[in-house]
Amino acid sequence: MSAELKLLLASPRSLCAGVERAINTVESVLADYGPPIYVRKQIVHNTHVVRELCHRGVVFVEELDEVPHGAVVVFSAHGVSPQVRADAASRGLRVIDATCPLVTKVHSEAKRYAAQGKTIIFIGHAGHEETEGTLGEAPEHTKLVQTVQDVAELAVPDPANVVYLTQTTLAVDETADIIAALRTRFPDAVGPGHSDICYATTNRQNAVQAVAVQSDVVLVVGSPNSSNSVRMVEAVRRRGVPAYLIDDVTCIDSRWLEGAATVGISAGASAPARLVDQVVAHLTEHGAVTVLEQSVTSETMQFALPWQARTRHVDPTSESAAQ
Ligand code: SF4
């Protein structure tokens, strides 16, 4: 490691409004009902968040048949298909939905377009929970594409009656290429402007790329199944800068930093800020370090808790509670 190491912290980084809401929802439900409570899938894609909630009595399940009849179950930030909602109802489960409102918005668009008889082209990653949930809104109307090549091979009943939607956590530049290919093949295609990629994904990709061009190597804190974190690493590598995804400070291989004068650091939208703090503290302990923050924008987005979690938290002394 260089003796005069400089750390460049990309901003914005770490938790987005949707992830904070999802974690706060589980904590609120845990406080209200007491353990155990159940969460379908990982509430957010971060190993540390999930492990800590497990220790506090949250039981993460893959499917609802693992949840006892009548129990409380939280749906994760990534959203679920109508089939999963129906399944929960048939099992008598008490559902609290922590789906990010920006994912819910895409679901609503899928339902609206399907009702209009349009073919929906969904740009997303096969197998990702968000993709499965959105595709489930109108499976008979929706076709998944993942690449420009997929667009070339796409067959639709009426090329003049096509719309497109996207997963919220995709790479901004790759998605733009796919949308350009779609618009070339289907000039009448209607879509959400640039894409449905959310503000947090966009900002974190812009910020980490701004840092990358000044760095010898970039570390992105996030778990391997975090789509937006993986996209950040890929975005940096596409600029020719080595980048590594690390779940936490213990994953750092000192050989990555050999000869580096500037290390860029960021974190995906599901990685808590304290994990970044630990990385900075570790690197600070191992050399003379300057730490600089580089911001491309500020974020003010906040989402209210789901109503099921909110209504149990009305302040009993407030006016509205007295009415
Ligand atoms: Fe919502 Fe975007 Fe955060 Fe996903 S990354 S939870 S879509 S704000």
Side-chain angles (χ1 to χ4, degrees), residues 32 36 76 95 103 116 119 123 172 177 239 274 283 305 310-311 322:
D32 283 344
S76 78
V95 170
V103 174
Q116 294 169 358
T119 297
I123 305 169
V172 173
D177 291 345
R239 290 184 168 264
R274 67 175 181 283
L283 296 178
L305 290 184
R310 215 164 48 220
T311 51

Side-chain angles (χ1 to χ4, degrees), residues 309-323:
R310 215 164 48 220
T311 51
R312 293 178 64 89
H313 277 275
V314 175
D315 177 354
T317 62
S318 74
E319 273 183 34
S320 57
Q323 287 167 356

Side-chain angles (χ1 to χ4, degrees), residues 12-67:
R13 61 178 180 277
S14 289
L15 300 193
C16 62
V19 165
E20 282 195 8
R21 174 181 184 265
I23 295 170
N24 290 342
T25 297
V26 174
E27 291 185 334
S28 166
V29 173
L30 200 51
D32 283 344
Y33 292 91
I37 63 156
Y38 296 81
V39 176
R40 181 184 178 275
K41 308 286 185 185
Q42 293 190 349
I43 183 69
V44 299
H45 286 156
N46 185 267
T47 312
H48 292 270
V49 171
V50 168
R51 191 183 305 143
E52 283 158 25
L53 290 172
C54 274
H55 287 150
R56 293 167 59 188
V58 176
V59 180
F60 290 92
V61 298
E62 279 304 300
E63 293 304 340
L64 295 180
D65 58 8
E66 301 166 59
V67 182

Side-chain angles (χ1 to χ4, degrees), residues 173-188:
D173 46 3
E174 287 180 345
T175 306
D177 291 345
I178 296 172
I179 290 173
L182 269 174
R183 288 191 173 283
T184 302
R185 253 210 88 187
F186 307 108
D188 296 328

Side-chain angles (χ1 to χ4, degrees), residues 197-262:
I197 297 172
C198 75
Y199 80 97
T201 297
T202 304
N203 290 346
R204 279 152 190 71
Q205 283 177 30
N206 288 342
V208 79
Q209 290 180 96
V211 155
V213 295
Q214 305 166 61
S215 301
D216 300 301
V217 58
V218 172
L219 304 177
V220 176
V221 182
S223 293
N225 61 341
S226 164
S227 174
N228 78 89
S229 304
V230 173
R231 304 290 87 80
M232 289 165 70
V233 171
E234 292 171 352
V236 174
R237 288 180 181 162
R238 276 198 293 278
R239 290 184 168 264
V241 179
Y244 300 96
L245 183 67
I246 55 170
D247 227 338
D248 58 45
V249 64
T250 65
C251 303
I252 297 174
D253 184 334
S254 58
R255 287 172 298 186
W256 300 339
L257 309 181
E258 276 172 12
T262 303

